[in-house]
Amino acid sequence: MKHPHPHPPRRRRTAGLAAVTVTTALLGAGLTALSAGPAEAATARQVEALDRGVVSVHTDSGNLVSWRWLGTDPDTVSFNIYRAGTKVNPTPITGATDYFHAGAPAQADYTVRALVGGVEQPDSVHAIQFRAGYKDVPISPPAGGTTPDGVAYTYEANDASVGDLDGDGQLDLVLKWQPTNAKDNSQSGYTGNTIVDGVKLDGTRLWRVDLGRNIRSGAHYTQFQVYDYDGDGRAEVAMKTADGSVDGTGAVIGSASADHRNSSGYVLSGPEYLTMFNGQTGRAMQSVDYVPARGTVSSWGDSYGNRVDRFLAGTAYLDGSRPSLIMARGYYTRTVIAAWDWRGGAFTRRWTFDTNSSTNSGRGYDGQGNHQLSVADVDGDGRDEIVYGAMAVDDNGNALWTTKNGHGDAMHVGDLDPSRAGLEEFKVDEDGSKPSSYLADARTGQIIWSTPANGDNGRGVAGDIWAGSAGAEAWSSAVSGIRGPQGNVVASRKPSSTNFLSWWDGDPVRELLDGTHIDKYGTSADTRLLTGSGVHANNGTKATPALSGDILGDWREEVIWPTGDNTALRIYSTPYETGTRITTLLHDTQYRTALAWQNTAYNQPPHPSFFIGDGMPTAPRPAVYTP
């Protein structure tokens, strides 16, 4: 299972890329853009003060111990591994942050000690043991119920997120419970309530929030953000709420008796709130009016309640240093994005982008949103932008660019072409008159390559899944073959999956995550690396996990699926050694904010701010600080 170190680097990315000025003529027909602001030196960003995240994954031949190389560690830090107080590595570990301890039993107890300037530091936390390749976190399904029209429902564990809810340095889980009668916005009918739990990795439930009858259940209604917004060392949880929502202490938000559901099950009247919950207790700390208000239902594109209730959410470093909350509404017609700061126990609205308003150049940007968003510093000025599908909004709330290619179901933003400066966006389109897929410069929106119109292209993925071509490959459901960063077909066989991605084995080439398994792409067939045992995927044909990302151990990604009976979240961690040394991706803020928005509507996998793949340069170190 040992894999060689990647090939020598082709290119090293540098921070603070020079600013460019773009004109409509340069970008081509249909594209609108504003000039990019001046580039600035990188500012240190607030990140979580994490422990080592040590894991021990048992295999037939021993234990793979892996741990985090923190963004706050020195570049030259090395490590020793101890089993029950006895050092097991012969010399300090200076490469990748993993060590295979041959012949050790599953119950072996490990700690890690960092060496800084040759001085050994104290023990880390004890390793979390993955004795059968996975660890179960016990969870308790809410009681089911019956809707007013007599339909019974139970609960299934759905999307999850992570954050240090109690400030102990260990990530905790926030889990959304979805009733079995959850609905897409286009479907009429009552639903059960949406329930959200805060859970520690040992299964201790910190709190339970019941969003109540006036928040409909489904993929587009509840986008929850988990992040330390005020820098107190503990993550908060932000959600849209309504009359009758009950916080983790049992307190009711608004009117406990109000029922705003109509006979079709839609909630098209009554107050709407944005609430910030205390991550440790679930207490509602403040509720403000949700921005934007629904206003006239038909102004969002239909009269029955489908498009008015399409919500997206994210977290972005709009000032370059501290995180802000992003809450949005609409993407088929009007789009409104509100940016909020949470400081000193109160909300402050930083800005509002509205395609109905001319004050921030939003006109002409209507109808350009996706079923998800991405957050990245696309213009290299040290501050984050919101990539909202076929458009981007600058860190100050002004329109940045739009391709005018309209709505789509999937997009990926990252360093997809390591041979060119900056980031790229790969996107698929739903509009049959527009390119079915394209790669764009994420700074300007300039189309790099596109594929011809071909109806509703419902799925698309980009990532370096094959070492046979340079950079990330991109493929989609309505287009044949897989394409390289220049748009040429590099392999005729598409992967079996067009859903999710995972860095799972030892090399930096990414794997395919679909349903309850992980596969490695091959031009003849995919190779199965993992099949989840006794678990289920979520969200129908999208077949997504509860969460996948670099949560524990080294930079490779864990995957979390609920068990079939919804009584545990089953976490899998890689058993493969790696020779690649990368700072924990939790301290790359583009990746970390992507974990935060992963639960938003149509879940998409996270991408870091730099290229990870075959032939990658030495990974950059982040400029970060902890509260």
Side-chain angles (χ1 to χ4, degrees):
M1 292 189 294
K2 190 75 174 178
H3 292 262
H5 197 72
H7 304 302
R10 290 191 300 266
R11 177 184 65 86
R12 178 186 289 273
R13 281 194 62 194
T14 56
L17 298 171
V20 295
T21 301
V22 190
T23 65
T24 303
L26 171 69
L27 300 178
L31 189 75
T32 306
L34 303 181
S35 297
E40 296 181 358
T43 301
R45 293 188 173 202
Q46 173 196 309
V47 295
E48 290 149 312
L50 299 170
D51 63 25
R52 281 283 162 218
V54 188
V55 298
S56 172
V57 181
H58 185 64
T59 70
D60 290 341
S61 52
N63 296 323
L64 180 70
V65 183
S66 70
W67 60 94
R68 297 175 179 133
W69 181 22
L70 300 170
T72 50
D73 284 329
D75 292 355
T76 57
V77 68
S78 58
F79 299 94
N80 286 327
I81 313 303
Y82 286 82
R83 176 187 172 189
T86 301
K87 189 159 71 80
V88 299
N89 55 302
T91 59
I93 296 166
T94 58
T97 54
D98 68 350
Y99 180 82
F100 191 78
H101 191 203
Q107 67 271 22
D109 178 27
Y110 297 98
T111 57
V112 173
R113 298 179 192 174
L115 286 88
V116 178
V119 178
E120 190 173 72
Q121 307 299 303
D123 262 335
S124 70
V125 292
H126 291 257
I128 296 173
Q129 295 175 346
F130 288 68
R131 296 191 180 190
Y134 60 79
K135 172 185 170 53
D136 278 354
V137 178
I139 53 176
S140 301
T146 304
T147 54
D149 55 357
V151 176
Y153 61 88
T154 57
Y155 278 93
E156 295 177 332
N158 189 249
D159 293 332
S161 194
V162 288
D164 184 359
L165 300 178
D166 56 8
D168 65 356
Q170 183 183 74
L171 291 180
D172 307 299
L173 296 164
V174 176
L175 171 67
K176 181 176 77 168
W177 291 97
Q178 196 157 276
T180 50
N181 61 355
K183 307 289 185 187
D184 184 83
N185 297 48
S186 62
Q187 301 169 339
S188 62
Y190 293 96
T191 73
N193 298 359
T194 298
I195 309 293
V196 180
D197 285 353
V199 183
K200 293 187 68 64
L201 289 183
D202 64 3
T204 301
R205 192 172 78 206
L206 297 174
W207 46 262
R208 170 165 284 176
V209 169
D210 183 342
L211 291 178
R213 65 173 72 93
N214 294 310
I215 295 288
R216 208 161 180 252
S217 292
H220 301 284
Y221 297 103
T222 295
Q223 326 301 344
F224 58 100
Q225 289 296 290
V226 183
Y227 223 86
D228 180 8
Y229 291 105
D230 58 8
D232 68 352
R234 297 184 299 274
E236 291 79 42
V237 182
M239 287 181 280
K240 182 176 179 285
T241 58
D243 280 342
S245 295
V246 181
D247 79 1
T249 71
V252 178
I253 296 169
S255 168
S257 60
D259 188 344
H260 301 297
R261 297 172 294 182
N262 66 21
S263 59
S264 296
Y266 288 99
V267 181
L268 303 179
S269 63
E272 301 175 287
Y273 306 115
L274 170 63
T275 300
M276 188 67 81
F277 295 89
N278 182 293
Q280 188 166 11
T281 65
R283 178 176 64 88
M285 296 185 288
Q286 187 186 20
S287 295
V288 296
D289 289 339
Y290 191 88
V291 175
R294 68 170 69 85
T296 304
V297 170
S298 59
S299 69
W300 296 90
D302 61 64
S303 60
Y304 70 98
N306 177 4
R307 296 182 176 188
V308 68
D309 271 0
R310 300 280 180 153
F311 301 100
L312 300 180
T315 297
Y317 290 77
L318 300 174
D319 66 359
S321 179
R322 301 183 68 185
S324 299
L325 173 67
I326 303 297
M327 299 298 278
R329 182 180 218 140
Y331 37 78
Y332 288 115
T333 49
R334 180 188 179 195
T335 288
V336 183
I337 305 171
W340 301 87
D341 289 341
W342 176 256
R343 309 279 190 265
F347 280 115
T348 303
R349 187 148 38 112
R350 178 178 281 265
W351 49 253
T352 305
F353 171 89
D354 190 343
T355 57
N356 277 9
S357 170
S358 60
T359 58
N360 57 12
S361 305
R363 289 197 181 274
Y365 280 60
D366 54 297
Q368 302 304 312
N370 258 36
H371 289 297
Q372 76 284 325
L373 51 73
S374 188
V375 172
D377 177 14
V378 301
D379 56 11
D381 66 356
R383 301 182 295 272
D384 285 344
E385 283 70 47
I386 314 304
V387 184
Y388 203 79
M391 59 177 267
V393 176
D394 207 353
D395 56 81
N396 59 8
N398 288 335
L400 187 62
W401 54 256
T402 176
T403 65
K404 285 291 190 179
N405 281 339
H407 172 73
D409 283 3
M411 69 170 178
H412 296 252
V413 178
D415 191 2
L416 304 177
D417 183 357
S419 70
R420 66 186 301 277
L423 305 174
E424 294 79 37
E425 176 200 39
F426 174 69
K427 184 179 178 303
V428 297
D429 274 343
E430 192 168 292
D431 187 338
S433 67
K434 303 293 185 182
S436 53
S437 66
Y438 61 85
L439 188 75
D441 186 320
R443 176 192 289 266
T444 64
Q446 180 180 3
I447 303 298
I448 298 169
W449 58 261
S450 63
T451 56
N454 191 10
D456 180 354
N457 194 8
R459 296 279 202 286
V461 185
D464 187 14
I465 59 162
W466 182 46
S469 71
E473 290 73 47
W475 68 100
S476 59
S477 54
V479 179
S480 60
I482 63 173
R483 284 168 162 72
Q486 286 73 46
N488 53 309
V489 175
V490 296
S492 60
R493 181 188 170 273
K494 287 195 293 188
S496 57
S497 164
T498 319
N499 281 334
F500 237 69
L501 297 169
S502 173
W503 280 295
W504 184 254
D505 67 6
D507 63 47
V509 173
R510 214 167 186 184
E511 281 69 56
L512 307 164
L513 169 55
D514 186 30
T516 57
H517 52 84
I518 294 175
D519 298 325
K520 193 165 191 68
Y521 172 77
T523 54
S524 299
D526 298 335
T527 301
R528 182 63 44 86
L529 299 181
L530 173 70
T531 300
S533 172
V535 296
H536 70 79
N538 289 325
N539 304 314
T541 59
K542 294 164 186 65
T544 53
L547 184 70
S548 180
D550 177 14
I551 300 165
L552 293 162
D554 59 35
W555 59 273
R556 270 87 58 79
E557 295 176 299
E558 282 68 42
V559 57
I560 306 176
W561 289 293
T563 55
D565 60 4
N566 295 291
T567 62
L569 291 176
R570 184 159 288 174
I571 309 176
Y572 283 85
S573 189
T574 181
Y576 294 90
E577 292 181 80
T578 183
T580 303
R581 178 176 167 109
I582 299 176
T583 308
T584 177
L585 296 180
L586 292 164
H587 282 172
D588 180 84
T589 55
Q590 180 176 322
Y591 186 94
R592 182 64 185 90
T593 56
L595 280 191
W597 58 246
Q598 187 178 128
N599 68 78
T600 294
Y602 288 180
N603 303 16
Q604 299 293 308
H607 294 277
S609 63
F610 59 94
F611 175 72
I612 299 179
D614 184 61
M616 66 179 289
T618 300
R621 304 279 343 262
V624 296
Y625 71 92
T626 56

